[in-house]
């Protein structure tokens, strides 16, 4: 170690907490002092990491407490995967325009469920849920969108079979307009997306 390097180390040491804690070093920078500095540095890094960990977001499953009890049921044949259909989906949207996001959950072979946000952290099964349950159509994905520009979110449900489009009746229910809209594609769908690709103002 050169004389200049030793001088730099001594200056850093005198300005460190370890210097004031352990007192001035012996003449010449010793290995013990270097180890003390290293341990102090590691301790500071550990405290910083602990602080960051405590600031990390924590997630807790509150589904049952919030009243969301929808289930997903499917049949899977490992010998004939082409016939399997495990898709499941959900869509968030304020269908009744009360300022709170509501939740629609597909159940595949189980009934679909529309939950109305109560505004207090809980959900209740909507009175408009039964027409959307589609018990005879295994459902996968779903998405809310205002396809007719009337200010109310409509709902498109993707199925293993014919898809369904439901028009929002100003928050008073949903009307199946699949045939009229011409969007009852048949197949094994799992998701859908809305977008104004030609920029004409319509989804």
């Amino acid at each position: 170690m050169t004389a200049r390097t030793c001088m730099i180390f001594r200056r850093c040491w005198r300005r460190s907490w370890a210097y004031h804690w352990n007192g001035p070093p012996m003449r010449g920078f010793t290995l013990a002092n270097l180890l003390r500095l290293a341990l102090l540095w590691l301790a500071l890094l550990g405290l910083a990491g602990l602080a960051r960990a405590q600031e990390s977001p924590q997630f807790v499953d509150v589904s049952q407490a919030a009243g969301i009890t929808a289930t997903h049921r499917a049949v899977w044949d490992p010998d004939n995967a082409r016939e399997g259909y495990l898709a499941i989906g959900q869509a968030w949207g304020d269908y009744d325009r009360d300022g709170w996001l509501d939740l629609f959950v597909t159940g595949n072979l189980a009934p679909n469920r529309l939950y109305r946000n109560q505004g207090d952290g809980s959900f209740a099964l909507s009175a408009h849920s039964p027409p959307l349950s589609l018990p005879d159509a295994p459902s996968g994905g779903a998405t809310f969108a205002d396809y007719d520009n009337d200010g109310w979110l409509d709902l498109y449900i993707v199925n293993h079979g014919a898809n369904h489009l439901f028009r929002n009746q100003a928050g008073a229910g949903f009307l199946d307009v699949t045939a009229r809209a011409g969007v009852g594609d048949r197949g094994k769908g799992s998701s859908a997306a809305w977008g104004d690709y030609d920029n004409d103002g319509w989804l």
Side-chain angles (χ1 to χ4, degrees):
M1 183 180 293
T2 66
R4 180 175 176 79
T5 304
C6 288
M7 181 177 65
I8 293 174
F9 272 128
R10 288 194 187 98
R11 287 177 181 173
C12 293
W13 173 255
R14 290 193 181 98
R15 294 173 182 173
S16 69
W17 291 357
Y19 174 85
H20 298 288
W21 182 265
N22 297 292
M26 297 173 59
R27 188 173 185 82
F29 217 82
T30 66
L31 178 60
N33 290 335
L34 286 174
L35 289 175
R36 290 191 186 100
L37 273 176
L39 290 173
L40 176 62
W41 181 247
L42 290 174
L44 291 174
L45 287 177
L47 289 174
L50 180 61
R52 285 194 298 271
Q54 291 176 342
E55 294 173 358
S56 299
Q58 302 293 321
F59 294 92
V60 178
D61 186 351
V62 296
S63 303
Q64 296 293 323
I68 300 173
T69 58
T71 58
H72 175 259
R73 186 167 58 88
V75 176
W76 180 257
D77 183 355
D79 297 323
N80 190 6
R82 293 176 62 86
E83 294 302 316
Y85 187 68
L86 295 177
I88 185 172
Q90 49 77 30
W92 292 89
D94 183 11
Y95 79 86
D96 54 1
R97 299 202 316 189
D98 64 353
W100 298 91
L101 288 177
D102 309 298
L103 175 63
F104 179 78
V105 182
T106 63
N108 203 324
L109 297 181
N112 302 328
R113 293 284 184 261
L114 176 64
Y115 290 96
R116 182 177 181 272
N117 194 325
Q118 302 288 83
D120 59 0
S122 67
F123 293 79
L125 191 64
S126 171
H128 309 310
S129 185
L132 308 175
S133 63
L134 302 180
D136 299 323
S139 299
T143 178
F144 280 108
D146 181 14
Y147 84 93
D148 54 0
N149 285 349
D150 65 351
W152 296 88
L153 290 178
D154 311 297
L155 180 62
Y156 190 62
I157 305 175
V158 183
N159 304 307
H160 186 348
N163 300 333
H164 286 265
L165 174 63
F166 290 90
R167 183 176 182 270
N168 192 330
Q169 302 292 92
F174 289 86
L175 177 66
D176 191 337
V177 294
T178 308
R180 185 196 314 170
V183 290
D185 178 68
R186 291 182 174 273
K188 189 186 293 186
S190 59
S191 64
W194 294 88
D196 182 11
Y197 83 91
D198 55 1
N199 203 30
D200 65 352
W202 295 89
L203 293 177

